[in-house]
């Protein structure tokens, strides 16, 4: 005997399937709320860690700049070296006076510096200069500390940045020197820019590596910061020092009542779904059931006007419209294929530089397929700027700022075109932004790194550093371009450093052209070298900085 199949109406089938979806929805939403809670917590901490890392890096740059200045003063300044040995009082006075002229200019130039000191115990010479805002008593207390440190005759060259407390307030010092002759700089935590730039409500604390607060101590004690659940505490150590920068960020309200709110909203959503099931039965299922019954009995098209649901009466029209749209899409697809073929012909005609421009055109082609018109516009404008700059006279000079903008435009093209775009970091002395140099002098090295140093599934990082070198025979711009690629092959490296090699001129045409232009513009004053670092390859270019001609000379 055959088992009779149980038939289920369309109405019951819809209800049953909707309920099978709705009932697990409570569990899924609850699990999602818990996951969202912990994910938000992690993202909140990560966001503040990134902000902290940015401020700590900027602070590190300021401290490194002061350290470099002080090191240059101690090592290269003839007057400071004179104070290392016993001299006459007049000589000591004149030498310290010359040093203080430089320190006065440095105090006005470096925002992070609050005081500079020069002390020589063997010559009994002591000089200092403070920024505005310090009382006489505060200055005397700091001077007393500096005298004690100088009289200790310790070697402070390798001590890094250290903190000392004066009148209940902590300061950051960097001392260089030994045997009683020292140069020092003081940084006041209260004047660090991070106190002004952090978000409202965030407390900044400078502390030792053991979390002993150096600033904002009252807040740390009152709030019991290290064990307070109402604050998220993130810290970043400052290199070459014994301190760390700490952010105390108030936790947002989601940590307190957010989960309950999300759970309530989830229950409200489920309730709305149930209400919608009832409305669905009234607005769709019951009219559908009546329509099926009437279709079974047979009726003319004019009887569809009795239904308030217009969609039932427009089924035929919808299918007709859909057929027309499909036909139109086929026509558009054919036209797009013709346009793509035309673009390929233009691609073959515009191959100026096969490696770079071919990749640009391929990227534009891919964007066209994806209909990413905004990205295409950005790409075209960037390539246009790139071409316009490339057509400059190679023997005319441009400012460092213009060359940097051109490289940034090139990197912008790479960001648009690549799934894993390369990164370019700049560290440029502001004094060199208007320095004139040959066009494409930096671009050539950057493009060479993108072409040869890119590894699969590894983000290429290019670091460009430009510093001002001062010497007796004039000033120079030292420009270094470094990447994180595999570096130069030893044989190729030897060939690159030999300017007249065949490989150099045949393969690295851009580098050969640049070396030739440097020779024409600067003669033997310019210097170009290639080397391998611990990670990747590096190229260093040193160009002379000629003084600007006077108007009479120019004429």
């Amino acid at each position: 005997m055959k088992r009779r199949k149980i038939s289920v109406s369309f109405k019951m089938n819809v209800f049953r399937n909707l309920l099978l979806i709705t009932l697990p929805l409570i569990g899924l939403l609850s699990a999602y709320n818990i996951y969202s809670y912990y994910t938000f917590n992690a993202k909140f901490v990560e966001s503040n860690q990134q902000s902290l890392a940015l401020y700590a890096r900027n602070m590190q740059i300021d401290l490194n700049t002061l350290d470099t200045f002080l090191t240059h003063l101690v090592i290269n300044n003839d007057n400071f070296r004179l104070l290392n040995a016993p001299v006459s009082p007049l000589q000591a006075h004149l030498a310290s006076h010359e040093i203080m002229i430089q320190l006065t200019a440095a105090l006005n130039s470096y925002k992070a510096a609050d005081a500079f000191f020069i002390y020589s115990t063997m010559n009994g010479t002591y000089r200092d200069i403070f920024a505005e805002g310090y009382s006489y008593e505060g200055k005397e207390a700091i001077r007393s500390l500096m005298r004690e440190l100088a009289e200790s005759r310790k070697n402070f060259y390798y001590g890094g940045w250290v903190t000392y407390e004066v009148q209940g307030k902590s300061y950051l010092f960097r001392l260089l020197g030994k045997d009683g002759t020292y140069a020092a700089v003081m940084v006041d935590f209260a004047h660090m820019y991070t106190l002004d730039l952090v978000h409202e409500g965030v407390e900044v604390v400078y502390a030792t590596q053991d979390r002993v607060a150096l600033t904002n101590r009252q807040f740390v004690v009152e709030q019991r910061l290290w064990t307070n659940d109402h604050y998220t505490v993130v810290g970043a150590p400052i290199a070459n020092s014994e301190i760390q920068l700490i952010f105390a960020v108030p936790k947002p309200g989601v940590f307190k009542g957010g989960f309950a709110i999300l759970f309530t909203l989830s229950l409200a959503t489920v309730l709305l779904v149930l209400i919608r099931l009832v409305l669905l039965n009234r607005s769709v299922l019951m009219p559908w059931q009546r329509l099926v019954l009437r279709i079974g009995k047979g009726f003319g098209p004019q009887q569809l006007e009795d239904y308030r649901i217009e969609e039932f009466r427009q089924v035929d029209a919808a299918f007709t419209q859909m057929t027309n749209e499909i036909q139109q899409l086929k026509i558009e697809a054919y036209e797009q294929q013709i346009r793509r073929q035309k673009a390929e012909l233009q691609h073959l005609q515009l191959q100026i530089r096969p490696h770079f421009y071919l990749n640009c055109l391929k990227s534009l082609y891919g964007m066209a397929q994806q209909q990413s018109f905004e990205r295409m516009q950005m790409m075209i404008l960037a390539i246009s700027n790139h071409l316009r700059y490339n057509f400059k006279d190679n023997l005319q000079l441009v400012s460092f700022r213009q060359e940097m903008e051109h490289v940034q435009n090139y990197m912008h093209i790479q960001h648009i075109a690549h799934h894993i775009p390369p990164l370019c970091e700049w560290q440029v002395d502001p004094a060199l932004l208007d320095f004139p140099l040959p066009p494409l002098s930096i671009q050539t090295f950057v493009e060479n790194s993108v072409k040869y140093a890119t590894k699969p599934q590894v983000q290429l990082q290019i670091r460009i550093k430009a510093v001002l070198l001062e010497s007796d025979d004039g000033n120079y711009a030292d420009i270094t371009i470094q990447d994180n690629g595999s570096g130069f092959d030893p044989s190729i490296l030897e060939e690159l450093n030999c300017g007249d090699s065949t490989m150099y001129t045949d393969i690295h045409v851009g580098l050969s052209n640049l070396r030739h232009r440097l020779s024409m513009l600067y003669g033997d004053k310019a210097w170009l070298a290639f080397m391998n670092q611990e990670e990747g390859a590096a190229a260093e270019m040193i160009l002379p900085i000629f003084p600007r001609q006077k108007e009479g000379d120019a004429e």
Side-chain angles (χ1 to χ4, degrees):
M1 181 177 181
K2 294 183 179 180
R3 184 176 180 180
R4 182 179 179 182
K5 294 182 179 180
I6 301 177
S7 61
V8 181
S9 66
F10 172 76
K11 176 180 178 180
M12 292 302 300
N13 196 31
V14 170
F15 267 112
R16 183 175 63 184
N17 285 280
L18 289 177
L19 288 175
L20 288 176
I21 296 174
T22 304
L23 293 178
L25 185 61
I26 298 177
L28 292 176
L29 289 176
S30 300
Y32 174 76
N33 291 335
I34 296 174
Y35 171 78
S36 299
Y37 171 78
Y38 289 104
T39 301
F40 182 82
N41 188 0
K43 293 295 183 182
F44 178 76
V45 174
E46 180 183 355
S47 174
N48 286 284
Q49 287 175 340
Q50 293 175 352
S51 299
L52 175 66
L54 174 62
Y55 290 121
R57 184 180 64 181
N58 291 334
M59 178 180 177
Q60 187 71 65
I61 292 174
D62 289 345
L63 295 181
N64 290 343
T65 302
L66 289 176
D67 199 345
T68 302
F69 167 75
L70 206 62
T71 302
H72 178 76
L73 176 69
V74 172
I75 295 177
N76 298 326
N77 191 282
D78 295 333
N79 292 310
F80 186 84
R81 289 199 296 266
L82 184 64
L83 295 177
N84 279 321
V87 295
S88 67
L90 178 60
Q91 288 178 314
H93 174 78
L94 293 176
S96 61
H97 176 72
E98 292 296 326
I99 295 174
M100 289 307 299
I101 293 176
Q102 298 184 37
L103 295 183
T104 301
L107 187 64
N108 296 327
S109 300
Y110 300 113
K111 183 179 179 181
D114 293 284
F116 284 99
F117 308 88
I118 292 294
Y119 198 86
S120 176
T121 56
M122 65 179 64
N123 292 293
T125 301
Y126 175 78
R127 286 180 179 267
D128 60 47
I129 181 172
F130 285 84
E132 297 180 358
Y134 290 91
S135 64
Y136 176 79
E137 292 78 6
K139 292 180 180 179
E140 285 300 314
I142 295 174
R143 288 166 180 161
S144 177
L145 169 66
M146 293 305 302
R147 290 190 181 95
E148 292 179 4
L149 294 175
E151 292 172 359
S152 67
R153 305 182 70 85
K154 294 181 180 179
N155 186 344
F156 287 101
Y157 278 105
Y158 307 104
W161 290 87
V162 294
T163 58
Y164 292 101
E165 184 173 327
V166 180
Q167 293 184 334
K169 185 177 179 180
S170 296
Y171 299 90
L172 190 61
F173 291 88
R174 179 67 171 111
L175 290 88
L176 286 176
K178 63 180 180 178
D179 298 332
T181 301
Y182 303 95
V185 58
M186 182 189 79
V187 175
D188 193 338
F189 290 113
H191 297 162
M192 294 301 292
Y193 69 94
T194 49
L195 296 175
D196 301 325
L197 298 180
V198 295
H199 297 293
E200 182 179 359
V202 177
E203 294 289 340
V204 178
V205 179
Y206 293 96
T208 65
Q209 300 298 339
D210 298 330
R211 283 195 170 184
V212 177
L214 302 173
T215 63
N216 216 351
R217 297 174 181 173
Q218 183 178 358
F219 169 77
V220 173
V221 174
E222 291 179 352
Q223 298 295 332
R224 297 181 180 179
L225 185 61
W226 315 129
T227 58
N228 193 333
D229 292 335
H230 299 293
Y231 285 89
T232 297
V233 179
V234 291
I238 305 300
N240 197 28
S241 73
E242 59 184 17
I243 66 170
Q244 62 174 323
L245 176 61
I246 294 176
F247 281 3
V249 186
K251 294 181 179 179
V254 68
F255 287 87
K256 299 177 181 179
F259 179 72
I261 295 175
L262 289 175
F263 185 74
T264 302
L265 291 176
S266 301
L267 292 180
T269 301
V270 174
L271 181 61
L272 289 176
V273 171
L274 295 176
I275 294 174
R276 186 55 192 163
L277 288 175
V278 177
L279 297 177
L280 178 66
N281 180 53
R282 294 181 179 179
S283 61
V284 177
L285 297 180
M286 293 180 64
W288 169 261
Q289 188 175 16
R290 292 198 304 270
L291 178 60
V292 171
L293 293 176
R294 293 180 64 84
I295 290 175
K297 295 179 180 179
F299 58 90
Q302 65 279 5
Q303 292 178 307
L304 293 176
E305 298 177 1
D306 296 335
Y307 292 95
R308 292 180 300 175
I309 300 178
E310 187 177 357
E311 286 76 9
F312 291 161
R313 292 182 284 104
Q314 295 180 344
V315 173
D316 290 339
F319 275 105
T320 302
Q321 182 180 358
M322 182 176 64
T323 303
N324 293 335
E325 289 178 355
I326 292 174
Q327 185 66 24
Q328 183 65 27
L329 288 174
K330 288 181 179 180
I331 297 174
E332 291 179 358
Y334 178 74
E335 293 176 350
Q336 183 178 7
Q337 183 178 6
I338 295 177
R339 290 195 297 269
R340 185 167 61 247
Q341 292 173 352
K342 292 181 179 179
E344 291 176 353
L345 293 176
Q346 295 175 354
H347 164 75
L348 295 175
Q349 294 173 355
L350 297 177
Q351 282 187 334
I352 301 175
R353 301 173 73 178
H355 175 73
F356 173 69
Y357 294 106
L358 179 61
N359 288 340
C360 289
L361 291 174
K362 288 182 178 179
S363 299
L364 289 173
Y365 175 70
M367 296 173 193
Q369 282 188 316
Q370 299 175 1
Q371 296 186 356
S372 300
F373 302 117
E374 183 176 355
R375 292 180 60 205
M376 288 180 63
Q377 292 173 347
M378 295 170 58
M379 186 76 163
I380 292 171
L381 290 176
I383 295 174
S384 175
N385 293 333
H386 187 85
L387 286 172
R388 184 180 298 110
Y389 191 87
N390 281 354
F391 290 152
K392 287 181 177 291
D393 188 347
N394 283 339
L395 295 180
Q396 294 294 325
L397 300 181
V398 298
S399 67
F400 190 99
R401 191 191 311 273
Q402 291 175 307
E403 179 72 8
M404 184 168 65
E405 291 174 354
H406 176 64
V407 173
Q408 290 172 342
N409 181 73
Y410 173 78
M411 298 305 295
H412 182 56
I413 295 174
Q414 301 299 326
H415 273 257
I416 299 175
H418 290 81
H419 175 66
I420 304 179
L423 291 180
C424 186
E425 299 178 359
W426 295 84
Q427 186 177 352
V428 181
D429 190 330
L432 295 177
L433 290 177
D434 294 324
F435 163 63
L437 76 168
L440 304 178
S441 53
I442 299 177
Q443 162 68 20
T444 301
F445 296 106
V446 173
E447 189 170 346
N448 196 65
S449 294
V450 173
K451 184 176 180 181
Y452 295 105
T454 302
K455 303 176 183 177
Q457 302 302 318
V458 176
Q459 188 172 40
L460 176 64
Q461 295 182 355
I462 302 174
R463 292 177 290 277
I464 302 174
K465 180 179 180 182
V467 297
L468 177 64
L469 300 180
E470 298 179 355
S471 63
D472 295 336
D473 60 344
N475 297 336
Y476 291 83
D478 186 357
I479 304 173
T480 304
I481 301 93
Q482 182 179 358
D483 58 52
N484 64 338
S486 302
F488 296 112
D489 185 86
S491 60
I492 295 179
L493 183 61
E494 182 178 357
E495 292 286 340
L496 285 175
N497 286 311
C498 180
D500 56 352
S501 67
T502 304
M503 182 280 299
Y504 188 96
T505 56
D506 290 346
I507 300 178
H508 298 276
V509 179
L511 298 179
S512 176
N513 177 273
L514 175 61
R515 184 183 287 274
H516 181 64
R517 285 189 288 139
L518 294 180
S519 177
M520 294 182 63
L521 290 170
Y522 304 106
D524 58 356
K525 292 288 187 179
W527 185 71
L528 182 61
F530 303 87
M531 64 207 75
N532 284 326
Q533 303 289 348
E534 293 182 1
E535 181 183 9
E540 184 175 10
M541 178 173 54
I542 300 179
L543 304 178
I545 301 178
F546 297 116
R548 293 185 177 178
Q549 293 181 333
K550 298 181 180 179
E551 292 180 1
D553 298 337
E555 294 175 356

